[in-house]
Amino acid sequence: MNAVPGPGAPRAELTFRGLVIGIVITLVFTAANVFFGLKAGLTFATSIPAAVISMAILRAMKNATIQENNIVQTVASAAGTLSSIIFVLPGLIIVGWWTGFPFWMSFGICAAGGILGVMYTIPLRRALVTDSDLPYPEGVACAEVLKVGSGEVVEASDSAAVEGGSSGLMAVVVGSIVSAVFYVIVETKLFASDVAQYFRIGDRGAASGYDFSLSFALFAVGHLVGLWVGIAMLLGAAIGWGWAVPHFTMLHPAAGDAADVAQAAWSHYVRFVGAGTIGVAAIWTLAKLVKPVVSGLNSAMAASRVRKAGKGDTLPRTEQDMPIGLVGLIVLLCMLPIAWLLGHFSVISGLASHAALLVIGGVLFVLILSFLVSTVCGYMAGLIGSSNSPLSGIGILVVIIAALLLVAGVKSSLPADSGKALVAFALFITSVVFAVAAIANNNLQDLKTGQLVDATPWRQQVALVIGVIAGAIVIPPVLDLLNKAYGFLGAPGVDPAHALPAPQAGLISALAQGVIQNNIDWSLISTGALIGVGLIILDALLGRLTKSVRLPPLAVGLGIYLPTSTTLMIVVGAIVGWYFDKRAERTPKAEATKQLGVLLASGLIVGESIIGVVVAAIVVFSGKPAPLALVGDSFQNASIWIGGLAFALVTFAMYRWISRLGQRS
């Protein structure tokens, strides 16, 4: 890649080819994040994989710069982050209000909310990025990768060098191919999709079981989240299936197959216990950040005022934000489609008599609450990283506030059967605010990367808006496709055995129903909340006794809430990833090897997720539940052994290869 001009000098940055490359990467990563987030309850960071792919493409072109690469990863990162809307929007399907995702309404939520998220973070940039000492872990790491890939630094860490070189791209590509091919073979039924067993316990009707999904994407998540998050999820699975499922099947005995009885108990009772644990853990995680967020914002704003007072009227290129007047105009323009969406939703949901109140109140709710959550999420991202920010806690708080305001403001003057419409409205307006929060949680991270690579802020902010619009175009059809192919757990008429779990959307919709309709079994939520409190205390004690051993309460809650077909393979991946890192630490290039493992895991997620979307399309258009099947159910026993053995051998081969590649890098 060509050498770049000195700091502050003009250079190629916001180019047409960079935007096109960014949008193409966006299509892939956003679709993958939507599928995987619904399946595992987690999304993966797209900045570094996007930067690695971008550098590989731009190296083959003339006059490519580090700033152009930064624009590509910015577009892809913004769109990938917007996929977090899956934590709320499927709730409208789960409560039975929508049967699909209307494109223009879904697009409007994602685009208007996402652009608001970009605009709200612009006035925060100087305070929280330029004049702040927040670490911004992902932003700094991505900048280091971009610098190495551009040849801007002679010496760099081994991990950045492999990311910026061909080894990093090779790891992502190989991981994608391996997981995609394995997924296709699973769909042919030659390899089993999972290894499951359910059984009765004693003579009082209790039942339980386990289910290992042979999924490289889930395995890769385990590698990325680390050992103790994996152990925490294992503890959650043990609570859910070692105690809760046997307990509730014994309290509510039912005849039939052990698998059906156990799954019914988990779906009707245990999920709500897990929801209570997740809710308490998410709010606790958020509460711990209140003090540093408030004090950090105050000091950052004060520093920004001092810095601004000492400046002249002319700003250098690297300090030029989008003009604040234009920012205000775009914010007001975004409120127009939001007002229309709220009004249209009010009319079609039977709330037309209160449409004016709902529109005016809704616009004010979005305008004010969105700015507050943008500030909080931006600071949280700088403090602990975008991937670790408790976005689910933000969603929980927003939907509870929205539901309480609807109960206080309009419920009493509506017919008794309007509760479902109010639940849908609460989820609808929460989706808009959540889109703002998701983007704000990512944008300052990207702007930190831009600061470190001498980018122009206003150009990067334009790229963020383009990324949001690209993501908003992709998300609705992918969601609709997955809904038609599999459905979401808890939605009316959906087979729980094949449904996507969508854990956060299920929890947030349950809370909206509980507040507005008061039709949720609060004893189950309370039991989960008490478990959450106990886990918070246990985690705090572990933190005092040891620096390395932790049991994150939110991860335990996910372990209770998610099916074992999701959690157990994540646990396996966490243990294997920990063992791989331990072995890597005994080699000369430990950091390079470990970072290649991270990129391999990212590729495993992308490959399986993209093929998962493709297979979902084949399912929908063929009308067959298993259109790629080559063998029948009689081959199932053999496929379990063949698939399990193949999974183990491929895993061993991949990690052996990546270890050797790390030593050669």
Side-chain angles (χ1 to χ4, degrees):
M1 197 170 287
N2 295 347
V4 298
R11 77 288 310 283
E13 189 168 355
L14 188 64
T15 63
F16 177 75
R17 69 180 181 186
L19 292 175
V20 170
I21 295 170
I23 290 171
V24 171
I25 296 174
T26 286
L27 298 176
V28 175
F29 279 18
T30 303
N33 242 343
V34 168
F35 176 80
F36 191 70
L38 292 168
K39 183 175 182 178
L42 302 162
T43 56
F44 63 97
T46 58
S47 293
I48 290 178
V52 170
I53 294 169
S54 165
M55 286 185 291
I57 296 171
L58 287 176
R59 275 200 188 100
M61 301 180 181
K62 294 181 179 180
N63 303 319
T65 66
I66 187 173
Q67 289 76 26
E68 189 177 16
N69 261 314
N70 180 52
I71 289 294
V72 175
Q73 75 83 19
T74 296
V75 172
S77 176
T81 301
L82 188 61
S83 62
S84 296
I85 195 69
I86 61 171
F87 292 172
V88 183
L89 201 56
L92 288 162
I93 302 286
I94 293 172
V95 300
W97 190 257
W98 279 356
T99 56
F101 292 89
F103 177 80
W104 288 112
M105 294 187 75
S106 303
F107 171 83
I109 290 171
C110 295
I115 293 171
L116 271 181
V118 177
M119 295 302 113
Y120 279 156
T121 52
I122 289 173
L124 298 174
R125 186 191 65 82
R126 286 197 182 94
L128 294 184
V129 177
T130 305
D131 300 325
S132 170
D133 58 358
L134 290 170
Y136 287 100
E138 289 109 329
V140 172
C142 191
E144 188 179 2
V145 172
L146 289 170
K147 288 178 180 179
V148 173
S150 70
E152 197 173 276
V153 292
V154 177
E155 293 185 6
S157 66
D158 287 341
S159 59
V162 300
E163 288 170 325
S166 59
S167 298
L169 178 64
M170 194 182 303
V172 173
V173 170
V174 169
S176 299
I177 293 172
V178 167
S179 63
V181 170
F182 194 90
Y183 190 88
V184 170
I185 298 175
V186 165
E187 290 299 312
T188 67
K189 305 294 185 182
L190 293 173
F191 291 175
S193 62
D194 55 1
V195 179
Q197 184 174 2
Y198 295 89
F199 43 81
R200 294 283 187 173
I201 303 172
D203 56 359
R204 299 179 60 186
S208 190
Y210 61 84
D211 189 344
F212 278 91
S213 176
L214 297 179
S215 163
F216 274 114
L218 294 173
F219 177 89
V221 167
H223 184 126
L224 294 176
V225 300
L227 178 65
W228 289 108
V229 171
I231 296 299
M233 294 186 77
L234 179 61
L235 175 60
I239 293 171
W241 290 85
W243 166 72
V245 170
H247 172 72
F248 287 110
T249 52
M250 192 165 57
L251 284 181
H252 307 278
D257 185 71
D260 294 335
V261 172
Q263 288 287 352
W266 172 78
S267 178
H268 295 135
Y269 306 108
V270 180
R271 279 199 314 126
F272 293 100
V273 174
T277 306
I278 291 172
V280 167
I283 292 172
W284 170 250
T285 305
L286 198 61
K288 287 193 299 182
L289 294 172
V290 169
K291 185 177 179 180
V293 165
V294 172
S295 61
L297 280 172
N298 287 337
S299 61
M301 292 296 182
S304 182
R305 286 193 294 269
V306 171
R307 189 171 185 270
K308 187 176 181 181
K311 277 187 163 184
D313 293 331
T314 304
L315 288 172
R317 177 186 57 77
T318 53
E319 284 298 318
Q320 294 174 5
D321 287 298
M322 192 179 290
I324 196 66
L326 180 59
V327 170
L329 178 62
I330 293 174
V331 168
L332 292 177
L333 289 175
C334 284
M335 289 302 163
L336 295 178
I338 289 173
W340 184 87
L341 286 168
L342 294 175
H344 179 66
F345 196 87
S346 301
V347 171
I348 65 173
S349 60
L351 303 173
S353 60
H354 291 73
L357 176 60
L358 291 171
V359 170
I360 295 170
V363 167
L364 290 174
F365 180 85
V366 171
L367 191 67
I368 297 170
L369 204 61
S370 292
F371 183 75
L372 293 176
V373 300
S374 293
T375 306
V376 171
C377 287
Y379 191 91
M380 287 192 307
L383 189 66
I384 59 175
S386 302
S387 302
N388 297 317
S389 295
L391 267 183
S392 55
I394 294 289
I396 289 167
L397 290 177
V398 172
V399 80
I400 289 175
I401 293 170
L404 288 173
L405 288 173
L406 289 170
V407 170
V410 299
K411 185 181 179 183
S412 60
S413 58
L414 288 170
D417 61 352
S418 61
K420 190 174 181 180
L422 287 175
V423 170
F425 191 88
L427 291 171
F428 192 83
I429 198 168
T430 299
S431 297
V432 177
V433 178
F434 195 84
V436 178
I439 290 299
N441 188 53
N442 167 79
N443 283 4
L444 291 178
Q445 203 81 241
D446 286 328
L447 292 171
K448 181 64 178 181
T449 300
Q451 180 202 23
L452 296 174
V453 300
D454 196 33
T456 308
W458 75 262
R459 289 188 171 94
Q460 201 170 1
Q461 289 151 7
V462 170
L464 287 168
V465 171
I466 292 171
V468 164
I469 294 171
I473 293 171
V474 175
I475 290 170
V478 173
L479 276 173
D480 203 48
L481 184 68
L482 295 174
N483 178 50
K484 290 177 181 176
Y486 307 114
F488 308 125
L489 195 63
V494 171
D495 180 4
H498 299 101
L500 293 167
Q504 289 88 347
L507 169 59
I508 289 172
S509 60
L511 290 171
Q513 286 178 313
V515 173
I516 293 174
Q517 296 182 331
N518 196 27
N519 64 351
I520 192 171
D521 189 341
W522 287 105
S523 66
L524 298 173
I525 299 287
S526 300
T527 300
L530 288 174
I531 293 173
V533 171
L535 291 167
I536 289 168
I537 295 170
L538 175 60
D539 186 53
L541 290 174
L542 288 172
R544 289 179 177 272
L545 295 173
T546 175
K547 293 182 179 180
S548 59
V549 178
R550 302 302 297 265
L551 287 172
L554 191 58
V556 180
L558 281 171
I560 299 172
Y561 189 91
L562 290 169
T564 54
S565 59
T566 298
T567 54
L568 294 183
M569 186 51 73
I570 292 177
V571 175
V572 172
I575 294 171
V576 172
W578 168 80
Y579 180 72
F580 173 80
D581 286 348
K582 283 292 183 184
R583 286 184 60 88
E585 287 171 1
R586 298 198 292 266
T587 63
K589 294 187 176 181
E591 291 305 314
T593 304
K594 288 195 286 186
Q595 197 56 41
L596 281 174
V598 169
L599 290 173
L600 175 71
S602 298
L604 290 172
I605 294 172
V606 171
E608 180 173 318
S609 300
I610 291 300
I611 290 297
V613 174
V614 173
V615 171
I618 298 172
V619 169
V620 171
F621 293 120
S622 69
K624 300 177 181 178
L628 302 182
L630 298 177
V631 294
D633 293 339
S634 59
F635 194 71
Q636 184 175 4
N637 289 335
S639 70
I640 290 174
W641 287 101
I642 296 171
L645 182 61
F647 191 93
L649 290 175
V650 170
T651 301
F652 176 79
M654 279 193 306
Y655 276 94
R656 185 177 178 85
W657 169 74
I658 210 74
S659 180
R660 291 179 174 177
L661 184 64
Q663 299 311 306
R664 295 198 302 266
S665 300

Short mmCIF file of all heavy atoms in Angstrom, two decimals, residues 23 26-28 30-31 34 103 107 469-479:
data_model
loop_
_atom_site.label_atom_id
_atom_site.label_comp_id
_atom_site.label_asym_id
_atom_site.label_seq_id
_atom_site.Cartn_x
_atom_site.Cartn_y
_atom_site.Cartn_z
N ILE A 23 -19.99 -1.57 1.63
CA ILE A 23 -21.38 -2.03 1.53
C ILE A 23 -21.44 -3.52 1.23
O ILE A 23 -22.28 -4.25 1.77
CB ILE A 23 -22.13 -1.21 0.47
CG1 ILE A 23 -22.34 0.23 0.98
CG2 ILE A 23 -23.47 -1.84 0.13
CD1 ILE A 23 -22.86 1.18 -0.07
N THR A 26 -20.68 -5.30 4.25
CA THR A 26 -21.84 -5.09 5.11
C THR A 26 -22.93 -6.13 4.85
O THR A 26 -23.52 -6.68 5.78
CB THR A 26 -22.42 -3.67 4.88
OG1 THR A 26 -21.55 -2.74 5.49
CG2 THR A 26 -23.80 -3.53 5.47
N LEU A 27 -23.22 -6.38 3.59
CA LEU A 27 -24.26 -7.35 3.24
C LEU A 27 -23.98 -8.70 3.86
O LEU A 27 -24.88 -9.37 4.38
CB LEU A 27 -24.36 -7.49 1.71
CG LEU A 27 -24.76 -6.23 0.92
CD1 LEU A 27 -24.71 -6.50 -0.57
CD2 LEU A 27 -26.12 -5.75 1.34
N VAL A 28 -22.71 -9.10 3.83
CA VAL A 28 -22.33 -10.41 4.36
C VAL A 28 -22.37 -10.41 5.88
O VAL A 28 -23.02 -11.26 6.51
CB VAL A 28 -20.91 -10.79 3.87
CG1 VAL A 28 -20.46 -12.08 4.51
CG2 VAL A 28 -20.89 -10.90 2.35
N THR A 30 -23.70 -8.31 8.09
CA THR A 30 -24.98 -8.00 8.74
C THR A 30 -25.91 -9.21 8.70
O THR A 30 -26.53 -9.54 9.71
CB THR A 30 -25.65 -6.79 8.05
OG1 THR A 30 -24.76 -5.68 8.09
CG2 THR A 30 -26.93 -6.42 8.76
N ALA A 31 -26.00 -9.86 7.55
CA ALA A 31 -26.83 -11.06 7.47
C ALA A 31 -26.33 -12.13 8.44
O ALA A 31 -27.12 -12.80 9.12
CB ALA A 31 -26.81 -11.60 6.04
N VAL A 34 -27.28 -11.13 12.05
CA VAL A 34 -28.71 -11.31 12.32
C VAL A 34 -29.00 -12.78 12.62
O VAL A 34 -29.63 -13.11 13.64
CB VAL A 34 -29.56 -10.82 11.12
CG1 VAL A 34 -31.01 -11.28 11.27
CG2 VAL A 34 -29.50 -9.30 11.02
N PHE A 103 -41.41 -4.45 5.23
CA PHE A 103 -40.10 -3.89 4.89
C PHE A 103 -39.98 -2.42 5.27
O PHE A 103 -39.03 -2.01 5.95
CB PHE A 103 -39.79 -4.06 3.40
CG PHE A 103 -38.47 -3.43 3.01
CD1 PHE A 103 -37.28 -4.08 3.27
CD2 PHE A 103 -38.43 -2.16 2.44
CE1 PHE A 103 -36.06 -3.48 2.95
CE2 PHE A 103 -37.22 -1.57 2.11
CZ PHE A 103 -36.03 -2.23 2.38
N PHE A 107 -37.52 -1.08 7.94
CA PHE A 107 -36.45 -0.22 7.43
C PHE A 107 -36.49 1.15 8.11
O PHE A 107 -35.45 1.70 8.48
CB PHE A 107 -36.59 -0.05 5.91
CG PHE A 107 -35.68 1.00 5.33
CD1 PHE A 107 -34.36 0.69 5.03
CD2 PHE A 107 -36.13 2.29 5.09
CE1 PHE A 107 -33.51 1.66 4.50
CE2 PHE A 107 -35.30 3.26 4.56
CZ PHE A 107 -33.97 2.95 4.27
N ILE A 469 -27.73 2.95 6.62
CA ILE A 469 -28.75 2.77 5.57
C ILE A 469 -28.57 1.40 4.90
O ILE A 469 -29.56 0.69 4.65
CB ILE A 469 -28.66 3.91 4.54
CG1 ILE A 469 -29.05 5.24 5.20
CG2 ILE A 469 -29.57 3.62 3.35
CD1 ILE A 469 -28.81 6.46 4.34
N ALA A 470 -27.31 1.00 4.65
CA ALA A 470 -27.06 -0.31 4.04
C ALA A 470 -27.56 -1.43 4.95
O ALA A 470 -28.20 -2.38 4.50
CB ALA A 470 -25.57 -0.47 3.76
N GLY A 471 -27.26 -1.32 6.24
CA GLY A 471 -27.73 -2.32 7.19
C GLY A 471 -29.24 -2.36 7.29
O GLY A 471 -29.86 -3.43 7.38
N ALA A 472 -29.88 -1.17 7.25
CA ALA A 472 -31.34 -1.10 7.35
C ALA A 472 -32.02 -1.74 6.15
O ALA A 472 -33.15 -2.22 6.25
CB ALA A 472 -31.78 0.36 7.48
N ILE A 473 -31.35 -1.76 5.01
CA ILE A 473 -31.89 -2.42 3.82
C ILE A 473 -31.78 -3.94 3.95
O ILE A 473 -32.68 -4.68 3.54
CB ILE A 473 -31.16 -1.93 2.55
CG1 ILE A 473 -31.48 -0.46 2.29
CG2 ILE A 473 -31.53 -2.78 1.34
CD1 ILE A 473 -30.65 0.17 1.18
N VAL A 474 -30.70 -4.41 4.55
CA VAL A 474 -30.44 -5.85 4.62
C VAL A 474 -31.25 -6.53 5.72
O VAL A 474 -31.78 -7.64 5.54
CB VAL A 474 -28.93 -6.10 4.87
CG1 VAL A 474 -28.65 -7.59 5.07
CG2 VAL A 474 -28.11 -5.55 3.73
N ILE A 475 -31.38 -5.88 6.87
CA ILE A 475 -31.93 -6.54 8.06
C ILE A 475 -33.37 -7.02 7.88
O ILE A 475 -33.68 -8.19 8.19
CB ILE A 475 -31.79 -5.62 9.29
CG1 ILE A 475 -30.31 -5.52 9.68
CG2 ILE A 475 -32.61 -6.14 10.47
CD1 ILE A 475 -30.02 -4.45 10.72
N PRO A 476 -34.32 -6.20 7.39
CA PRO A 476 -35.71 -6.68 7.31
C PRO A 476 -35.91 -7.94 6.46
O PRO A 476 -36.57 -8.88 6.93
CB PRO A 476 -36.46 -5.47 6.73
CG PRO A 476 -35.64 -4.29 7.12
CD PRO A 476 -34.21 -4.76 7.04
N PRO A 477 -35.35 -8.01 5.22
CA PRO A 477 -35.58 -9.25 4.46
C PRO A 477 -34.93 -10.47 5.08
O PRO A 477 -35.48 -11.58 5.00
CB PRO A 477 -34.98 -8.93 3.08
CG PRO A 477 -34.10 -7.75 3.27
CD PRO A 477 -34.67 -7.00 4.40
N VAL A 478 -33.77 -10.29 5.72
CA VAL A 478 -33.13 -11.44 6.38
C VAL A 478 -33.98 -11.90 7.57
O VAL A 478 -34.20 -13.10 7.77
CB VAL A 478 -31.70 -11.09 6.84
CG1 VAL A 478 -31.11 -12.22 7.66
CG2 VAL A 478 -30.81 -10.81 5.63
N LEU A 479 -34.48 -10.95 8.36
CA LEU A 479 -35.35 -11.31 9.48
C LEU A 479 -36.61 -12.02 8.98
O LEU A 479 -37.04 -13.02 9.56
CB LEU A 479 -35.75 -10.04 10.25
CG LEU A 479 -34.79 -9.53 11.31
CD1 LEU A 479 -35.26 -8.18 11.85
CD2 LEU A 479 -34.64 -10.52 12.45
#
